[in-house]
Amino acid sequence: MSRKIVAGNWKMNMEAVQARNLFNELKENEYPNDVKVILCPPAIYLSEFSDESKNVYVASQNVSDLSNGAFTGEISASMLESINVSYCLVGHSERRQYFKENNEVLAGKVKQLLSNNIIPVFCCGETLEERNSGREREVIDKQLKEGLFFLNEAQISKVVIAYEPIWAIGTGVTATADQAQQMHGFIRQIVLKSYNQAIAEDMSILYGGSCKPENAAEIFSKPDVDGGLIGGAALNASSFKEIIHSF
Ligand code: PGA
């Protein structure tokens, strides 16, 4: 099975008409057969889009770590499943930073998603300060071990990992293709050590952080980079399509 995925994270952007136009432009396209295209619109559009998704999968940007009940404003994994959402981001650095989501909460979200047949796209990444002090591997190791590696083999086999160095998100500064490869290779190694070779070899590991048409081909050419989680460049249909065709 191909590991290639390109996902577009729209974040908190796009009012209804713009969102619908962008979705329409993307859903009708022919994409390479071995590349999965995933769109992560704001939650309010999920049910409208998931009904119509053809060549694209629809993902939520967030989910509750709780199953149901009196939790005003939350959206549960079972609700997402009931409208055919197939993926969900977990652990994006903006959620960790601005909404104080720690590894324990993230682990709860991962559990909720998997028990409702939704694939978590688990994000990890270090700050600039952590990288400058040589701690990037230690940080990623901890995020993955606490947030994800409690899963058994059957469960972890379903998960997608996204490496997103925080210093590259929305900043215009991209990790070089070699920096991305080093970290992706490291992530695959720790998946191998925590599980086994087959699981490590099948795991999709996406790069995120100022990925755009100008740099996607070089980054995607690296052996352990299986695609991208795209923010800013996913808000424009032609740049997102160019990225999808960059493999
Ligand atoms: P960016 O965002 O492509 O705008 O840097 C990536 C992300 O946050 O997923």
Side-chain angles (χ1 to χ4, degrees):
M1 206 179 60
S2 168
R3 301 194 308 220
K4 294 179 190 168
I5 296 176
V6 177
N9 176 10
W10 297 6
K11 308 193 181 184
M12 196 171 74
N13 292 298
M14 303 272 171
E15 275 75 49
V17 173
Q18 283 175 295
R20 161 56 62 193
N21 289 342
L22 181 58
F23 179 73
N24 284 345
E25 266 200 74
L26 294 170
K27 76 167 181 186
E28 304 292 355
N29 278 275
E30 291 299 321
Y31 296 114
N33 281 337
D34 60 343
V35 183
K36 229 174 242 166
V37 178
I38 304 176
L39 303 179
C40 320
I44 194 165
Y45 308 127
L46 284 173
S47 90
E48 184 186 342
F49 295 173
S50 61
D51 259 7
E52 285 179 40
S53 52
K54 289 195 184 110
N55 299 334
V56 296
Y57 293 82
V58 174
S60 180
Q61 295 174 17
N62 191 24
V63 68
S64 174
D65 60 323
L66 303 159
S67 56
N68 68 294
F71 302 106
T72 303
E74 289 293 270
I75 294 176
S76 71
S78 62
M79 293 172 194
L80 295 176
E81 188 191 21
S82 72
I83 58 161
N84 303 317
V85 168
S86 24
Y87 292 82
C88 182
L89 303 182
V90 179
H92 191 282
S93 61
E94 288 150 15
R95 302 260 2 139
R96 292 177 189 263
Q97 187 183 348
Y98 305 134
F99 302 94
K100 311 289 174 237
E101 293 183 358
N102 58 29
N103 290 332
E104 193 188 335
V105 168
L106 300 177
K109 294 181 183 222
V110 168
K111 279 186 213 157
Q112 287 294 333
L113 290 169
L114 287 170
S115 37
N116 288 282
N117 305 309
I118 298 172
I119 299 175
V121 178
F122 189 89
C123 308
C124 57
E126 80 285 357
T127 63
L128 188 57
E129 194 202 338
E130 287 161 345
R131 173 163 282 261
N132 286 343
S133 57
R135 292 170 46 226
E136 64 274 20
R137 286 178 169 73
E138 179 196 322
V139 169
I140 302 302
D141 190 68
K142 186 171 159 65
Q143 290 175 346
L144 292 176
K145 286 200 172 133
E146 294 183 3
L148 210 51
F149 289 176
F150 63 89
L151 296 174
N152 65 30
E153 290 187 0
Q155 293 168 322
I156 194 80
S157 307
K158 304 203 171 94
V159 171
V160 173
I161 294 177
Y163 168 64
E164 298 207 302
I166 296 169
W167 46 272
I169 296 179
T171 58
V173 181
T174 322
T176 63
D178 287 337
Q179 282 172 324
Q181 168 56 30
Q182 278 165 13
M183 294 306 290
H184 283 231
F186 168 71
I187 291 169
R188 207 175 297 284
Q189 273 302 313
I190 54 176
V191 174
L192 189 151
K193 281 196 201 130
S194 305
Y195 293 94
N196 61 49
Q197 184 154 0
I199 289 175
E201 276 175 8
D202 285 349
M203 175 75 65
S204 294
I205 308 176
L206 313 182
Y207 170 79
S210 299
C211 189
K212 38 187 183 269
E214 299 78 46
N215 57 28
E218 196 191 348
I219 297 174
F220 294 178
S221 72
K222 295 294 176 183
D224 288 305
V225 178
D226 304 311
L229 177 53
I230 318 299
L235 296 175
N236 174 289
S238 58
S239 64
F240 189 59
K241 281 188 260 179
E242 233 184 286
I243 294 173
I244 297 167
H245 290 281
S246 295
F247 281 104

